[in-house]
Amino acid sequence: MTKEVELVLLPEEINDEKAIWRAASKALHLSPDQINHVEVQKRSIDARGRKVVYRVKVRVFVAEDHTPELFSPVYNNVSKSKVVLIVGAGPAGLFAALRCLELGLKPVILERGKDVKQRRRDLAAINKEGVVNPDSNYCFGEGGAGTYSDGKLYTRSNKRGDVNQVLKLFVAHGATPDILIDAKPHIGTNKLPQIITSIRESILAAGGEIHFNCKVTDFIIQSGVFKGVRTDDAKELLAESLILATGHSAHDIPYLLHKQNILIEAKPFALGVRIEHPQYIIDQAQYHTADRGPYLPPSYYSLVEQVDGRGVFSFCMCPGGIIAPCSTEPGEIVVNGWSPSKRNNPFANSGTVVQVNLEDAPGSDTDPFKLLKYQQEIERLAFAAGGGKLVAPAQRMVDFVNGRISADLPVNSYLPGTRSADLNTVLPKFIHERLRKALPVFGQKMKGYYTNEAILVGVESRTSSPIRIPRDKVTLQHPQVKGLYPCGEGAGYAGGIVSAAIDGMNCADAIVRTKN
Ligand SMILES: Cc1cc2nc3c(=O)[nH]c(=O)nc-3n(C[C@H](O)[C@H](O)[C@H](O)COP(=O)(O)OP(=O)(O)OC[C@H]3O[C@@H](n4cnc5c(N)ncnc54)[C@H](O)[C@@H]3O)c2cc1C
């Protein structure tokens, strides 16, 4: 017999098996020796009351043995199977490849960047020298934009596919099983490279292929049917199906499609700044205590406010994190954020952004590149305001709201450096004005948030793709090109690691469906 029950535990009890058994037996009015096993199914922090507690859903095995469920995928060899070309080794491309293995198809991944290990050198050059390699950076390379990220795995994509399957695949490749039970699971930048390497090893061991330093530069399409791709080292690879998973920063891909008269569309995205506070301010506000102590993790927030008919919202919050320079070309500033698994840096950052619609940008509404050009223009303005070498323009929070250039800037985590600037000269007026109105309101919602100890760093511009590559809702193929499956964040169908991974798997499934 099993029984399910919700327990309320103190932070110091959350990793104490005996305390969990005691609480379970008390809740079910059983003596501890009547219980064979207690399985934690979900756990979340509840900081609504004066005392912060964990709410833990457990399944209690009473007079019944518990057999642990081990998920260890076994893939058959696909080296002689039908090839599926996959462009991009981000979460969408890698999970599409894993799904191809399950389905008996041979994935051949083409990735313009380097493997996770070699990629590190290019990240060091970005952080220390402010030099960007356009093929190897925080967005491009093995694991895509997801590798050197926070690895937050929360998503609203439950309707799009099996979130749990993605989490189980991460665990099978080395992620902590905690991600299966945490309400807000995350992996951390230090752990992601080993997991990505393990996924690569699964793909190769089953007879799939991954080609690094291999940039797709052309599509071979005849009479509306996909035939193959050309790469920058003059190779031609032919196949019936292509999963195009090149991410939101591969600007050359939509231009290549447009050149061949293949339909693409401008898509709204969001733009703003990265905001960083000392972590203790966030902990104090959320946990209502001067010191969170040794048992609670660094706290997070999620804020939203409607200003003049449009939402201003925080996203991709990284407790204990670092602001990352995520430009993919020289001459532009793009910021984002990451955290290590322990989230033990002294700062907390989040993107704080406003939606950009078609009518906000200059130019013709029929130009599919209208919003991409607008995004690039703002990133270049930010670069100029920083003064070069990826130094980012920045302002203290209260100074920003009061329209004052900061006399100095607080110590912060952005490694290439920050320069005091008027962000009004970088951000479009409709974004600047809304941020100015929203930040004091966020301060009313969260004590301590509105402070000059916080820094705004510009610009958070790659929140999602400013272009959509259309596809049929059922076949997932481009309406004009049979065999072309636009996939993941770059095509406009995902907004994070889990949703990109799910979209990759869905595209692989669609290939099999189409063939039947
Ligand atoms: C610093 C940072 C932190 C983030 N933190 C989180 C987080 O905590 N949680 C979360 O859910 N999301 C996070 N994200 C967003 C997340 O990483 C992306 O949503 C996700 O990686 C998108 O997956 P994708 O596979 O669609 O595209 P990408 O991950 O962008 O992968 C696309 C791949 O295609 C390759 N490519 C591009 N053009 C070509 C070409 N012509 N030929 C060959 N290869 C090509 C690129 O090199 C890249 O590797 C973060 C992003 C960044 C940059």
Side-chain angles (χ1 to χ4, degrees):
M1 180 179 51
T2 63
K3 291 185 173 189
E4 289 186 8
V5 64
E6 185 181 286
L7 309 175
V8 178
L9 295 170
L10 296 172
E12 55 269 34
E13 292 173 325
I14 194 64
N15 290 315
D16 179 348
E17 210 177 311
K18 282 187 188 150
I20 297 175
W21 276 56
R22 268 198 310 274
S25 58
K26 195 172 163 200
L28 293 172
H29 307 291
L30 296 166
S31 69
D33 56 6
Q34 286 177 284
I35 295 176
N36 280 354
H37 184 73
V38 180
E39 181 185 76
V40 175
Q41 297 191 303
K42 276 282 162 222
R43 63 183 185 200
S44 58
I45 294 175
D46 185 349
R48 288 171 299 180
R50 284 197 133 262
K51 204 162 175 57
V52 182
V53 292
Y54 272 90
R55 295 199 175 268
V56 185
K57 271 195 191 145
V58 295
R59 180 184 288 160
V60 183
F61 291 73
V62 185
E64 183 178 318
D65 282 342
H66 166 254
T67 323
E69 200 186 302
L70 287 177
F71 176 71
S72 172
V74 179
Y75 300 114
N76 291 328
N77 193 290
V78 294
S79 54
K80 303 231 163 27
S81 304
K82 187 167 264 215
V83 166
V84 173
L85 287 178
I86 299 172
V87 191
L94 289 175
F95 278 75
L98 290 177
R99 189 70 169 165
C100 282
L101 301 182
E102 278 178 41
L103 297 167
L105 298 166
K106 176 177 176 175
V108 174
I109 302 184
L110 311 177
E111 166 56 55
R112 71 193 281 173
K114 302 177 185 174
D115 67 41
V116 278
K117 211 167 165 192
Q118 293 191 51
R119 215 176 144 183
R120 274 185 197 283
R121 259 181 247 151
D122 298 304
L123 300 188
I126 291 175
N127 284 314
K128 290 186 190 146
E129 296 150 40
V131 175
V132 183
N133 176 341
D135 290 315
S136 177
N137 45 57
Y138 273 95
C139 295
F140 295 162
E142 188 179 20
T147 306
Y148 296 99
S149 77
D150 188 32
K152 279 180 289 295
L153 302 175
Y154 11 121
T155 178
R156 280 167 293 186
S157 349
N158 287 303
K159 283 193 193 139
R160 294 189 196 167
D162 191 349
V163 173
N164 214 33
Q165 179 70 3
V166 173
L167 299 182
K168 278 169 38 184
L169 280 167
F170 272 120
V171 173
H173 289 94
T176 163
D178 286 353
I179 64 172
L180 300 171
I181 56 172
D182 279 332
K184 295 204 176 295
H186 100 115
I187 295 179
T189 313
N190 49 325
K191 302 235 164 125
L192 281 156
Q194 292 101 292
I195 294 166
I196 300 296
T197 304
S198 166
I199 293 178
R200 182 215 306 153
E201 283 163 359
S202 285
I203 295 167
L204 296 180
E209 293 177 20
I210 305 187
H211 301 260
F212 294 113
N213 302 304
C214 183
K215 180 174 170 181
V216 167
T217 51
D218 208 0
F219 301 106
I220 309 167
I221 295 164
Q222 287 165 4
S223 311
V225 179
F226 172 79
K227 297 287 177 188
V229 294
R230 295 194 182 89
T231 63
D232 57 351
D233 53 356
K235 276 195 204 121
E236 249 185 38
L237 289 107
L238 305 180
E240 283 178 20
S241 314
L242 170 75
I243 296 180
L244 185 61
T246 47
H248 59 30
S249 292
H251 298 156
D252 38 358
I253 292 293
Y255 278 101
L256 279 178
L257 294 170
H258 189 64
K259 203 176 74 186
Q260 297 201 26
N261 289 323
I262 294 161
L263 192 66
I264 53 166
E265 298 158 356
K267 177 186 137 309
F269 68 107
L271 190 143
V273 291
R274 203 108 316 225
I275 296 187
E276 182 171 273
H277 289 79
Q279 178 67 48
Y280 75 87
I281 293 184
I282 308 304
D283 291 343
Q284 284 178 358
Q286 303 297 65
Y287 292 149
H288 341 288
T289 162
D291 178 0
R292 73 168 189 270
Y295 299 107
L296 284 169
S299 188
Y300 66 93
Y301 60 82
S302 168
L303 293 162
V304 60
E305 180 64 21
Q306 284 295 316
V307 181
D308 300 336
R310 221 179 277 193
V312 179
F313 59 95
S314 67
F315 91 112
C316 188
M317 202 265 151
C318 299
I322 299 276
I323 301 182
C326 294
S327 316
T328 48
E329 276 168 45
E332 62 187 27
I333 294 272
V334 179
V335 291
N336 204 306
W338 61 264
S339 322
S341 56
K342 289 193 175 147
R343 290 181 157 164
N344 52 358
N345 282 296
F347 301 107
N349 69 64
S350 75
T352 305
V353 294
V354 178
Q355 169 138 323
V356 181
N357 295 328
L358 208 55
E359 64 272 17
D360 296 317
S364 160
D365 279 359
T366 57
D367 178 4
F369 299 102
K370 187 183 182 197
L371 290 178
L372 172 60
K373 289 176 191 162
Y374 192 50
Q375 180 191 55
Q376 286 179 315
E377 189 189 310
I378 298 162
E379 292 168 357
R380 286 176 192 147
L381 280 175
F383 184 85
K389 290 201 165 182
L390 297 185
V391 173
Q395 215 164 346
R396 287 181 184 265
M397 185 182 277
V398 178
D399 291 345
F400 171 83
V401 170
N402 292 330
R404 236 182 1 235
I405 293 183
S406 301
D408 59 8
L409 293 173
V411 173
N412 61 77
S413 69
Y414 181 75
L415 291 173
T418 44
R419 181 188 194 188
S420 176
D422 182 358
L423 289 174
N424 191 18
T425 62
V426 174
L427 296 168
K429 190 163 184 274
F430 74 93
I431 293 180
H432 184 257
E433 283 303 308
R434 284 183 172 84
L435 285 173
R436 281 183 66 184
K437 289 182 185 168
L439 298 179
V441 182
F442 287 169
Q444 286 160 20
K445 293 182 179 187
M446 200 177 127
K447 205 172 154 207
Y449 175 92
Y450 183 58
T451 167
N452 236 5
E453 279 190 69
I455 185 172
L456 278 62
V457 182
V459 283
E460 175 91 22
S461 51
R462 308 261 175 102
T463 50
S464 67
S465 177
I467 293 210
R468 183 186 306 281
I469 308 175
R471 71 184 187 191
D472 181 87
K473 279 201 178 105
V474 177
T475 68
L476 306 190
Q477 292 176 90
H478 192 283
Q480 295 168 321
V481 188
K482 193 164 174 273
L484 170 61
Y485 296 81
C487 178
E489 187 159 40
Y493 302 101
I497 295 168
V498 173
S499 58
I502 286 177
D503 202 51
M505 298 199 293
N506 287 346
C507 285
D509 285 341
I511 290 173
V512 172
R513 263 202 321 271
T514 315
K515 297 283 177 273
N516 292 332

